[in-house]
Structure formats: structure tokens, C-alpha cells
Amino acid sequence: MINQEIARAFSEIADMLELKGENPFRIRAYRRAAQNLEALSKDVTELTEDELLKIPGIGKDLASKIREYIDTGNIAQLNELKKEIPQGLLEILLVPGVGPKTAKTVYEKLGISSVDELEQACREGLLQGIPGIRKKTEDNILKGIAMLKRGRERMPLGKARPLAEAILEELKGLRAVKKIEIAGSLRRWKETVKDIDILVTSSDPMKVMNTFVKLPNVEEVLLKGPTKSSVILKEGIQVDLRVVEEDCFGAALQYFTGSKAHNIKIREMAMKLGLKINEYGVFREKDNKKIAGTTEEEVYKAIGLPFIPPEIREDLGEVEAALSGQLPRLVELGDIKGDLHVHSRWSDGSHSIEEVARAAQALGYEYIAITDHSKGLGVAGGLGEEDILKEKKEVEELNKKLKGFRVFMGVEVDIRSNGELDFDEDILKRLDFVVASIHSGFRQSKRQLTDRLLSAIKCPYVRVIAHPTGRILGEREEYDVDMEEIMKAAKKYKKALEINAYPLRLDLSDRYVRMAKDMGIPIIISTDTHMTEQFRFMQYGVAIARRAWLEKEDILNTRGLKEFMKYLGIK
Ligand code: DGT
Ligand code: CA
Ligand code: ZN
């Protein structure tokens, strides 16, 4: 938890330095350190000085600030900056699409120092008085503010999941806890969740509740009782913990996992069979005799159904499929054999290619593709033609050393605003695996954006379109493309679409992935890893695939190395 706190302090420092217009490199250093701290699996308090300095992006100066925070709970520099800069201004930076430049300008010209004031000013058209700001800018800011407010109501899966898992770990340590499971939308791996629902069976419910409401990141206790307690975490999400009887656990888990629409369908089915189903069990209507409740399997069986995986309980055909024995055999994390969107230190990644490869091999993968950025993405250290060929040499040398593992030499080639790719075909054809994606011009028209993606799909050397809709959860909406047209082209030119498993992207979304499956378009699940710890994001991508009903065969990177090389046409 302290890692997250320090990470937050570092990003705040970065924000404030940016508002002050300080050196971009210094600002970037703080951001990078924050990102790396967040991804770290070990608690920083357990690290020695040397280990601390080994974290990518942490030098002497930042290491001493980490120490300072561990020792005092504060960073003096942060406190100083806070005195100089109005807090409301920092909040304005949280509005998607509003950068430090705009924030600074509206503060200086109009004295705006809070999100509410900004909203008001945009409504009244006051920003248009500032050179360079048009009505469209104001509309975009208003959209951003609406999104910020919505984002406060729902948390991205990738933030909520680790919080829930930490709570589970903590409670599992108690002897009074017997069974414990996550329920609700989080168990269904929905891309955003309103709250965290947890179910427990226990020999001593009050003891569990006492520990629960005293967890270190509990900010407020809303309710505390022997069967239900609710708290709000510092991170800004509600957690409901319910203790249920052993012989109701399956029924409660089924009920509180939802979705509501799925449950309504199930209840109607039960009624037709002369049964009643609720969070306590399945009962015979005529004599109220309980016939199931301890496990979920038993609950589904009692109404004549096989177990339905939580990820597809959305009333999107799963009950019908279960009835006719047509449930998909959903892909599993263990089916994934390689990661095909990986960055190294050659562009904006934190590790060398060898480090990345060895980490992937240790996870049981058989291959990865190194896909660093191309030159158009200067901010991310994009590579020019010469560098990419040098990088290719390094990959070739490394492949000679690696046993039972292969690194494919690739690139994440930028699709420029005019639809051209950042590299000529002459370069692309020399690479094993070309990923193409959009990183700019998100506000172009639907036609322009669609055409850009189409031109990448038509390039014979492009294998896959990465993060095809460009969304960042809670920050940036999907850009406006004609997805049906894109998918038709992908089908025609035999191109894959990516599920980018980076937790704030999850792009394609489950809805589009299911559409792709129905159209017979191959999917690749990749993590967009920038540091080795991020390989574990794969589970989020697999969850999206499962929510879209994907089976192993629908996904290209479930193929073993040999088979995958055949697909690439490499001998
Ligand atoms: P969320 O929290 O908005 O991300 O989504 P859920 O699905 O976790 O919704 P939540 O937390 O309100 O309720 C958890 C589950 O409890 C929900 O998926 C199904 C069940 N549930 C809640 N209210 C009702 C209801 O009125 N009828 C039925 N049949 N089930 C309900
Ligand atoms: Ca919920
Ligand atoms: Zn990438």
C-alpha cells in the first residue's frame, strides 16, 4: 500500500511541476518513478538501498525522497509545492483532455481554480475569450468534466481488482474465515465496477467484521453488523462484506454475482419448474423444501443447468446456450503461450530485451514479440529506421542464446494522422511481427479515423491493429470509428485485432470482441508491457476474451511456438 501512496505523491509533484512550467525531463522522471512504484510487487519498505536504486527510473534523488516518505510520512518538496499552487487547480488536471497548459492559462486569465468554476465558465462561453480556445475546446472540456464525474461513480477493474484481492488476502488469514469469494461485477470481470462485493462463511462473524472495518485503508465505516458491513476505502470505492450460512453460500454467491438480468432469467426458469430461487437457496414451491444452496454448481443443477462461468452471466444468450448444451469452453490464462506487444528500453520500456525475454520465459511463455515504438512517437522514445535495424540485430543475437524460447522482432508502427505508416514497407518487411496503432489525432472525423485504420489493415506486413479504439478508462472515450467496416476489412485481409490487456485500456472491449468472434476475426491478447511486472496484466485481457465468449481456438497467441511460427511463415 505504501508503494501506491508514494506513487501518488510523485505524480502530484509531477503535476505541480508541470503547472509551474518546469523542465519536462524532470517531470517525466517523477511520472516514470510513480508508474514503476505502482507496478512493483514488493513493498518498498522491505527493499535495501541498493534494491531501491535498481527500480527502473529511481536514482539517488528519488530514492532519498522514498526514504523520507517511509521515515516521516511526508515529502517536504511536495508540501512546499502545495503551498504555492491552489489545490483546485490540481483537480482541474484530473479532467480528461485538460492539460497543465490549459489549466495554467484559465487560472491566470480567468482566475479559475476549481472544476466547478471551470464547468461554469465553459457553460457561459467565457473561455472563448482566450486566444486559441474555441467553442469546440469548451465542449470537449465539458465532456471531460462529465466523464470525470462518471468515473467517480465507477472504478476501472484494474484498480478495483488488486484492492479486493488485498482484502481477501488479509481476511483469509483469519481462522474465523472459512469460505471467502469476490462476488458482483468484479467476479464477472466487468470493465468498471461500482463497488466491491465479498461473501464469507464464518464460525465467528463479529470477529471477521472487526478485522474488516479496521483494515488500514478503510476511510469510513458506513455499516457494521454480524451479517453485513460496508466501508469506503481511501481509494474511493465502497466494499460490502456479507457473512452467510454455510448451506446458503452457493445460493448467495450465485445471487450476489449477478448480473441482475441473468438472475431474473434464472428465477423465471426456476418458477416454470415449480421452484423458487433466492440468496438462501433453491426451494420447492409446493412444500418450501430446500433442495440446493451449498454450492453454485448445485444451485444451477437444481434448475437443470450446467455451471455457467461468471464472466458470461449477462443474459446475452448464456442461459439458452446452457440449456442446449452449447456453452463455450472459455479460454484460460494457462492457454496463452506468448505476448505479442512488448516494449523494451529501446523505446519507453524499463527493461532490456533480454530481461523482458527471461521474465516471459519464467512465466511459462514460449515466445514474445518486441514491439517498440516507431519514430513518430518522439515522446515515447520512438525508433528510427537505423535503430530498429540495430535492435533487430540484438534480438537475433539473443535468440541464439535462448533455449525453448523465441523473441520475434517487431515494431508498434504509428499510424500517422494522414493514414501513412511511420515506416516504409521496405523496413516493415524485414520484421517478424508488425503491430500498427494510432497515437494521435483522436478527434478526427469518423471517416478519417476509419480510413487510417483501413490503410494499416491493407498494408501486407501489418499483422494486428493494437488498441483499436484508443480508449483509456476514465480518461479518454473510444475514438469514433466505423467498427463494422474495420472488422470487414480485417476479415478480408486476414488481419487480427488486439485485446490490449493494459488495465486502463482493455481495448477492444468485450462487446467488440464478441462481434469480432461472430465475424470470424482472429484475436490476439497482449499486455503492452513496459516493465516485466506488467506481464501479469494478461489476466485482464483473458477476462475480456472470456466475457466475449472466446475459446482457445479464437486466439492466435494460444498457439505453441511451432504453430505460431507457421502462421508467421517463419521456418
Ligand atoms: P456494479 O456494482 O454496478 O458494478 O454491478 P453488480 O452486478 O455488482 O451490482 P450490485 O453490486 O448492485 O449487486 C450485486 C448483485 O446482486 C447483482 O449483480 C445481482 C444481485 N442483485 C442486486 N439487486 C438485485 C435485484 O434487485 N434483483 C436481483 N435479481 N438481483 C439483484
Ligand atoms: Ca457490485
Ligand atoms: Zn505499445
Side-chain angles (χ1 to χ4, degrees):
M1 296 288 176
I2 193 162
N3 297 9
Q4 312 302 332
E5 285 171 31
I6 302 175
R8 210 176 312 138
F10 281 0
S11 5
E12 273 188 87
I13 292 178
D15 286 346
M16 291 194 267
L17 292 177
E18 219 166 343
L19 283 172
K20 290 183 65 181
E22 300 235 350
N23 180 342
F25 287 99
R26 221 174 130 224
I27 296 163
R28 222 179 133 65
Y30 278 103
R31 292 219 190 282
R32 199 157 159 249
Q35 208 185 19
N36 289 335
L37 278 172
E38 236 168 55
L40 204 65
S41 43
K42 243 183 161 182
D43 201 305
V44 281
T45 51
E46 290 166 20
L47 301 183
T48 65
E49 200 66 27
D50 272 353
E51 287 172 320
L52 209 52
L53 287 169
K54 279 213 188 91
I55 304 173
I58 308 276
K60 281 235 165 72
D61 179 41
L62 291 183
S64 79
K65 280 176 184 143
I66 293 175
R67 279 274 160 257
E68 185 186 350
Y69 192 94
I70 293 171
D71 295 341
T72 68
N74 265 312
I75 299 175
Q77 182 201 10
L78 178 61
N79 295 338
E80 286 306 310
L81 285 166
K82 275 187 178 163
K83 276 185 225 153
E84 285 177 51
I85 291 164
Q87 281 307 293
L89 211 49
L90 283 179
E91 216 179 294
I92 288 179
L93 284 187
L94 298 177
V95 177
V98 177
K101 217 175 111 206
T102 311
K104 210 170 147 214
T105 316
V106 297
Y107 176 62
E108 283 166 359
K109 304 258 168 174
L110 300 170
I112 290 172
S113 65
S114 74
V115 174
D116 287 342
E117 284 168 16
L118 182 62
E119 186 172 12
Q120 183 82 18
C122 286
R123 289 241 152 83
E124 290 169 15
L126 295 179
L127 264 61
Q128 290 175 55
I130 299 172
I133 294 193
R134 288 169 300 156
K135 169 114 184 15
K136 193 161 175 221
T137 320
E138 283 182 338
D139 289 345
N140 283 330
I141 293 176
L142 284 173
K143 267 192 215 151
I145 292 175
M147 202 167 167
L148 179 72
K149 289 186 172 165
R150 245 181 297 135
R152 292 228 163 107
E153 286 156 26
R154 299 190 70 83
M155 183 180 268
L157 173 69
K159 282 192 183 163
R161 190 88 207 174
L163 292 172
E165 277 165 8
I167 295 175
L168 239 59
E169 270 320 297
E170 204 62 44
L171 296 181
K172 268 183 190 163
L174 297 178
R175 219 177 304 149
V177 168
K178 288 194 190 150
K179 288 185 184 155
I180 181 161
E181 291 279 355
I182 294 172
S185 49
L186 201 54
R187 183 161 179 248
R188 305 197 311 276
W189 295 79
K190 216 175 145 169
E191 63 191 30
T192 63
V193 302
K194 180 195 68 196
D195 56 12
I196 297 172
D197 304 291
I198 301 176
L199 291 185
V200 163
T201 63
S202 170
S203 51
D204 186 353
M206 264 343 261
K207 178 140 201 195
V208 181
M209 295 308 192
N210 284 335
T211 307
F212 174 61
V213 300
K214 289 204 195 87
L215 289 171
N217 58 331
V218 166
E219 174 145 294
E220 193 187 341
V221 180
L222 301 174
L223 172 80
K224 187 185 170 204
T227 58
K228 184 181 175 191
S229 296
S230 295
V231 302
I232 308 257
L233 301 183
K234 279 186 195 148
E235 291 80 2
I237 189 166
Q238 180 169 334
V239 189
D240 294 344
L241 178 69
R242 289 185 173 80
V243 179
V244 302
E245 295 295 332
E246 196 82 33
D247 67 341
C248 302
F249 187 72
L253 187 56
Q254 198 287 321
Y255 180 87
F256 289 110
T257 295
S259 67
K260 198 168 161 182
H262 172 87
N263 285 356
I264 289 172
K265 194 78 163 251
I266 294 289
R267 198 163 48 208
E268 282 168 0
M269 269 194 60
M271 259 155 61
K272 282 191 196 135
L273 296 169
L275 301 168
K276 202 175 73 192
I277 181 169
N278 57 32
E279 64 264 51
Y280 302 104
V282 184
F283 301 85
R284 263 194 332 227
E285 195 71 64
K286 60 175 187 209
D287 54 6
N288 231 3
K289 187 176 173 337
K290 181 163 171 173
I291 59 165
T294 313
T295 67
E296 264 191 330
E297 281 80 0
E298 175 184 305
V299 167
Y300 279 107
K301 195 164 167 224
I303 51 171
L305 293 177
F307 180 80
I308 300 176
E311 293 93 331
I312 60 170
R313 296 183 195 168
E314 300 288 353
D315 189 22
L316 292 171
E318 74 281 5
V319 176
E320 293 79 356
L323 269 174
S324 60
Q326 311 269 321
L327 276 180
R329 288 175 55 152
L330 300 181
V331 61
E332 287 171 17
L333 185 57
D335 293 329
I336 302 294
K337 295 294 181 326
D339 198 328
L340 297 164
H341 185 161
V342 176
H343 295 273
S344 80
R345 210 180 277 150
W346 279 82
S347 64
D348 60 347
S350 293
H351 296 99
S352 70
I353 298 177
E354 176 155 5
E355 284 166 330
V356 172
R358 299 224 181 261
Q361 192 170 18
L363 287 173
Y365 287 159
E366 297 174 20
Y367 52 88
I368 55 169
I370 290 288
T371 55
D372 279 309
H373 292 288
S374 63
K375 59 190 175 184
L377 223 61
V379 286
L383 304 176
E385 282 82 355
E386 235 173 75
D387 284 333
I388 203 98
L389 294 177
K390 270 193 220 154
E391 188 182 25
K392 181 175 181 223
K393 279 239 160 57
E394 184 177 316
V395 165
E396 284 163 0
E397 287 308 309
L398 180 60
N399 275 326
K400 288 180 197 157
K401 279 205 285 180
L402 298 170
K403 296 220 163 59
F405 188 87
R406 167 116 185 191
V407 180
F408 296 114
M409 177 55 200
V411 69
E412 178 174 10
V413 66
D414 186 46
I415 305 169
R416 295 179 189 158
S417 296
N418 62 6
E420 278 172 16
L421 294 179
D422 215 6
F423 283 140
D424 290 338
E425 294 194 351
D426 178 45
I427 293 285
L428 297 179
K429 75 177 177 206
R430 291 196 240 180
L431 307 176
D432 301 323
F433 194 79
V434 176
V435 173
S437 58
I438 286 183
H439 296 97
S440 60
F442 301 114
R443 288 190 180 141
Q444 288 180 342
S445 71
K446 185 170 186 167
R447 191 65 259 156
Q448 278 174 307
L449 280 156
T450 306
D451 284 342
R452 283 167 78 186
L453 288 179
L454 289 178
S455 77
I457 287 173
K458 286 177 191 162
C459 167
Y461 303 105
V462 168
R463 294 278 177 183
V464 58
I465 301 294
H467 40 77
T469 71
R471 71 169 178 180
I472 308 282
L473 291 170
E475 265 177 49
R476 194 167 70 211
E477 302 276 7
E478 296 179 347
Y479 43 62
D480 196 13
V481 288
D482 186 336
M483 200 39 88
E484 207 178 317
E485 203 178 333
I486 301 291
M487 289 200 184
K488 279 186 187 150
K491 170 103 183 155
K492 179 171 170 199
Y493 292 94
K494 298 194 170 64
K495 298 302 164 76
L497 295 176
E498 181 185 81
I499 297 177
N500 190 293
Y502 205 87
L504 289 183
R505 287 191 182 269
L506 304 182
D507 179 7
L508 290 178
S509 65
D510 47 21
R511 181 171 57 98
Y512 280 143
V513 176
R514 191 151 176 205
M515 193 168 136
K517 171 172 172 139
D518 291 343
M519 290 176 68
I521 295 160
I523 293 291
I524 288 176
I525 312 178
S526 303
T527 58
D528 210 343
T529 286
H530 285 71
M531 59 192 79
T532 53
E533 282 88 351
Q534 294 177 338
F535 277 123
R536 69 192 155 82
F537 292 163
M538 188 58 82
Q539 64 172 338
Y540 294 105
V542 170
I544 295 300
R546 288 171 64 86
R547 285 181 58 80
W549 293 48
L550 261 53
E551 304 184 291
K552 191 177 163 182
E553 294 69 31
D554 300 318
I555 299 158
L556 290 177
N557 53 323
T558 58
R559 299 186 183 183
L561 177 58
K562 257 202 181 145
E563 234 190 311
F564 193 74
M565 282 173 69
K566 218 194 275 164
Y567 155 74
L568 291 183
I570 300 177
K571 292 211 181 71

